[in-house]
Amino acid sequence: MSIGTVMCGAAAMLLFAAALREIVVVRRLRQRGTRTQGLVVDNVRTTDSDGPMWVPVIAFTDQRGYRVEFSPRVRGSGMGLATGREVGVVYLPHDPQTARVLMWRHTVGPVVFTFFGAIVFLGAAVWIALAG
């Protein structure tokens, strides 16, 4: 077994685990989550390996009356939200930091893309194993 097979297989398993964890969180949010409205209060410029991008900051008030701010975990083109826009938010009552924007691209999208990435790495591992 080559190092490439092991590395791609390990990456696939980590991505599958991340997708499974995200599925559990989204399911809990759908079943037990508290829904409210949030407001995009800012767009913060961040820099990562792909270069600079803008990440929205969303504020909402939780059940206890505390103001909570969060940024969506998923970032990239098509994921931005305009400052001043009202958006649906869902969070677990005991943990407002689990908040997600109530849009398909912010709840289900991460699961789909992470799962797809895992499939790609698994395919690469199989291809390397069969080619070697």
Side-chain angles (χ1 to χ4, degrees):
M1 191 178 296
S2 75
I3 189 78
T5 303
V6 172
M7 296 296 288
C8 286
M13 292 304 113
L14 287 173
L15 287 171
F16 276 126
L20 181 61
R21 182 189 177 286
E22 195 65 21
I23 287 169
V24 169
V25 169
V26 170
R27 185 169 181 223
R28 283 185 186 150
L29 287 170
R30 285 189 175 166
Q31 291 175 346
R32 295 186 280 262
T34 300
R35 294 170 187 253
T36 188
Q37 286 295 111
L39 181 68
V40 181
V41 294
D42 198 5
N43 275 286
V44 179
R45 184 181 171 129
T46 63
T47 304
D48 63 3
S49 60
D50 295 334
M53 68 173 55
W54 294 94
V55 178
V57 177
I58 300 157
F60 68 95
T61 304
D62 70 4
Q63 286 181 326
R64 297 180 194 144
Y66 293 112
R67 177 184 167 105
V68 178
E69 290 187 0
F70 75 99
S71 293
R73 301 175 84 202
V74 180
R75 299 171 180 173
S77 64
M79 300 307 266
L81 299 165
T83 302
R85 178 177 177 179
E86 282 195 26
V87 294
V89 173
V90 62
Y91 66 95
L92 292 175
H94 64 278
D95 187 10
Q97 293 302 319
T98 59
R100 300 285 197 279
V101 177
L102 268 175
M103 293 180 176
W104 185 90
R105 65 184 181 190
H106 286 281
T107 55
V108 179
V111 173
V112 171
F113 291 120
T114 305
F115 188 74
F116 179 73
I119 295 291
V120 168
F121 273 102
L122 186 60
V126 169
W127 183 75
I128 292 169
L130 294 176

